[in-house]
mmCIF file of all heavy atoms in Angstrom:
data_model
loop_
_atom_site.group_PDB
_atom_site.id
_atom_site.type_symbol
_atom_site.label_atom_id
_atom_site.label_comp_id
_atom_site.label_asym_id
_atom_site.label_seq_id
_atom_site.Cartn_x
_atom_site.Cartn_y
_atom_site.Cartn_z
ATOM 1 N N VAL A 204 -17.109 1.722 -34.116
ATOM 2 C CA VAL A 204 -17.339 2.877 -33.275
ATOM 3 C C VAL A 204 -16.646 2.571 -31.857
ATOM 4 O O VAL A 204 -16.479 1.314 -31.607
ATOM 5 C CB VAL A 204 -18.782 3.196 -32.997
ATOM 6 C CG1 VAL A 204 -19.556 3.607 -34.410
ATOM 7 C CG2 VAL A 204 -19.573 2.048 -32.421
ATOM 8 N N PRO A 205 -16.462 3.580 -31.117
ATOM 9 C CA PRO A 205 -15.914 3.208 -29.736
ATOM 10 C C PRO A 205 -16.928 2.463 -28.923
ATOM 11 O O PRO A 205 -18.061 2.930 -28.766
ATOM 12 C CB PRO A 205 -15.638 4.622 -29.136
ATOM 13 C CG PRO A 205 -15.528 5.515 -30.381
ATOM 14 C CD PRO A 205 -16.478 5.061 -31.331
ATOM 15 N N CYS A 206 -16.550 1.265 -28.465
ATOM 16 C CA CYS A 206 -17.464 0.427 -27.712
ATOM 17 C C CYS A 206 -16.833 0.170 -26.237
ATOM 18 O O CYS A 206 -15.621 -0.061 -26.149
ATOM 19 C CB CYS A 206 -17.750 -0.884 -28.354
ATOM 20 S SG CYS A 206 -18.762 -0.700 -29.822
ATOM 21 N N HIS A 207 -17.618 0.124 -25.282
ATOM 22 C CA HIS A 207 -17.229 -0.194 -23.875
ATOM 23 C C HIS A 207 -16.922 -1.678 -23.850
ATOM 24 O O HIS A 207 -15.815 -2.046 -23.274
ATOM 25 C CB HIS A 207 -18.344 0.178 -22.903
ATOM 26 C CG HIS A 207 -17.991 -0.248 -21.527
ATOM 27 N ND1 HIS A 207 -17.922 -1.420 -20.970
ATOM 28 C CD2 HIS A 207 -17.716 0.617 -20.504
ATOM 29 C CE1 HIS A 207 -17.720 -1.372 -19.676
ATOM 30 N NE2 HIS A 207 -17.482 -0.100 -19.381
ATOM 31 N N ALA A 208 -17.658 -2.536 -24.495
ATOM 32 C CA ALA A 208 -17.409 -4.010 -24.643
ATOM 33 C C ALA A 208 -17.814 -4.786 -23.379
ATOM 34 O O ALA A 208 -17.826 -6.045 -23.441
ATOM 35 C CB ALA A 208 -15.851 -4.345 -25.054
ATOM 36 N N ASP A 209 -18.166 -4.074 -22.294
ATOM 37 C CA ASP A 209 -18.656 -4.861 -21.149
ATOM 38 C C ASP A 209 -19.622 -3.999 -20.396
ATOM 39 O O ASP A 209 -19.566 -3.877 -19.067
ATOM 40 C CB ASP A 209 -17.452 -5.283 -20.320
ATOM 41 C CG ASP A 209 -17.920 -6.404 -19.209
ATOM 42 O OD1 ASP A 209 -18.808 -7.121 -19.541
ATOM 43 O OD2 ASP A 209 -17.192 -6.451 -18.148
ATOM 44 N N PRO A 210 -20.639 -3.293 -21.046
ATOM 45 C CA PRO A 210 -21.525 -2.346 -20.370
ATOM 46 C C PRO A 210 -22.686 -3.042 -19.739
ATOM 47 O O PRO A 210 -23.782 -2.458 -19.795
ATOM 48 C CB PRO A 210 -21.893 -1.439 -21.508
ATOM 49 C CG PRO A 210 -22.053 -2.378 -22.682
ATOM 50 C CD PRO A 210 -20.893 -3.413 -22.444
ATOM 51 N N HIS A 211 -22.434 -4.156 -18.971
ATOM 52 C CA HIS A 211 -23.608 -4.711 -18.202
ATOM 53 C C HIS A 211 -23.888 -3.814 -16.987
ATOM 54 O O HIS A 211 -23.185 -2.888 -16.707
ATOM 55 C CB HIS A 211 -23.375 -6.072 -17.862
ATOM 56 C CG HIS A 211 -22.055 -6.188 -17.021
ATOM 57 N ND1 HIS A 211 -21.974 -5.856 -15.676
ATOM 58 C CD2 HIS A 211 -20.832 -6.790 -17.278
ATOM 59 C CE1 HIS A 211 -20.774 -6.144 -15.188
ATOM 60 N NE2 HIS A 211 -19.956 -6.711 -16.203
ATOM 61 N N LEU A 212 -24.975 -4.114 -16.295
ATOM 62 C CA LEU A 212 -25.463 -3.149 -15.256
ATOM 63 C C LEU A 212 -24.478 -3.113 -13.999
ATOM 64 O O LEU A 212 -24.558 -2.257 -13.276
ATOM 65 C CB LEU A 212 -26.854 -3.575 -14.797
ATOM 66 C CG LEU A 212 -27.956 -3.336 -15.779
ATOM 67 C CD1 LEU A 212 -29.333 -3.687 -15.204
ATOM 68 C CD2 LEU A 212 -27.966 -2.018 -16.402
ATOM 69 N N GLY A 213 -23.582 -4.101 -14.009
ATOM 70 C CA GLY A 213 -22.535 -4.132 -12.951
ATOM 71 C C GLY A 213 -21.583 -3.055 -13.187
ATOM 72 O O GLY A 213 -20.884 -2.710 -12.214
ATOM 73 N N ASN A 214 -21.521 -2.420 -14.378
ATOM 74 C CA ASN A 214 -20.618 -1.393 -14.674
ATOM 75 C C ASN A 214 -21.382 -0.090 -14.723
ATOM 76 O O ASN A 214 -20.759 0.839 -15.409
ATOM 77 C CB ASN A 214 -19.819 -1.739 -15.910
ATOM 78 C CG ASN A 214 -18.711 -2.726 -15.652
ATOM 79 O OD1 ASN A 214 -18.046 -2.758 -14.538
ATOM 80 N ND2 ASN A 214 -18.303 -3.549 -16.624
ATOM 81 N N VAL A 215 -22.555 -0.019 -14.359
ATOM 82 C CA VAL A 215 -23.382 1.176 -14.455
ATOM 83 C C VAL A 215 -23.706 1.633 -13.033
ATOM 84 O O VAL A 215 -24.150 0.856 -12.049
ATOM 85 C CB VAL A 215 -24.633 1.032 -15.195
ATOM 86 C CG1 VAL A 215 -25.578 2.224 -15.178
ATOM 87 C CG2 VAL A 215 -24.407 0.534 -16.681
ATOM 88 N N ILE A 216 -23.422 2.901 -12.669
ATOM 89 C CA ILE A 216 -23.612 3.504 -11.368
ATOM 90 C C ILE A 216 -24.701 4.556 -11.557
ATOM 91 O O ILE A 216 -24.613 5.450 -12.353
ATOM 92 C CB ILE A 216 -22.402 4.120 -10.749
ATOM 93 C CG1 ILE A 216 -21.219 3.078 -10.719
ATOM 94 C CG2 ILE A 216 -22.569 4.660 -9.371
ATOM 95 C CD1 ILE A 216 -21.494 1.947 -9.803
ATOM 96 N N VAL A 217 -25.728 4.458 -10.705
ATOM 97 C CA VAL A 217 -26.751 5.465 -10.710
ATOM 98 C C VAL A 217 -26.411 6.651 -9.787
ATOM 99 O O VAL A 217 -26.149 6.436 -8.586
ATOM 100 C CB VAL A 217 -28.106 4.891 -10.248
ATOM 101 C CG1 VAL A 217 -29.197 5.888 -10.163
ATOM 102 C CG2 VAL A 217 -28.557 3.620 -11.024
ATOM 103 N N THR A 218 -26.384 7.776 -10.465
ATOM 104 C CA THR A 218 -25.946 9.078 -9.633
ATOM 105 C C THR A 218 -26.967 10.086 -9.417
ATOM 106 O O THR A 218 -26.831 11.084 -8.897
ATOM 107 C CB THR A 218 -24.648 9.700 -10.365
ATOM 108 O OG1 THR A 218 -25.123 10.048 -11.723
ATOM 109 C CG2 THR A 218 -23.546 8.704 -10.378
ATOM 110 N N GLY A 219 -28.231 9.725 -9.989
ATOM 111 C CA GLY A 219 -29.341 10.609 -9.833
ATOM 112 C C GLY A 219 -30.589 9.943 -10.437
ATOM 113 O O GLY A 219 -30.584 8.973 -11.027
ATOM 114 N N ASP A 220 -31.715 10.772 -10.329
ATOM 115 C CA ASP A 220 -32.947 10.251 -10.795
ATOM 116 C C ASP A 220 -32.930 10.055 -12.320
ATOM 117 O O ASP A 220 -33.567 9.189 -12.961
ATOM 118 C CB ASP A 220 -34.094 11.250 -10.489
ATOM 119 C CG ASP A 220 -34.402 11.149 -9.030
ATOM 120 O OD1 ASP A 220 -34.034 10.203 -8.325
ATOM 121 O OD2 ASP A 220 -34.922 12.200 -8.551
#
Side-chain angles (χ1 to χ4, degrees):
V204 300
C206 289
H207 181 283
D209 199 24
H211 58 73
L212 294 185
N214 284 328
V215 176
I216 306 296
V217 178
T218 58
D220 290 342

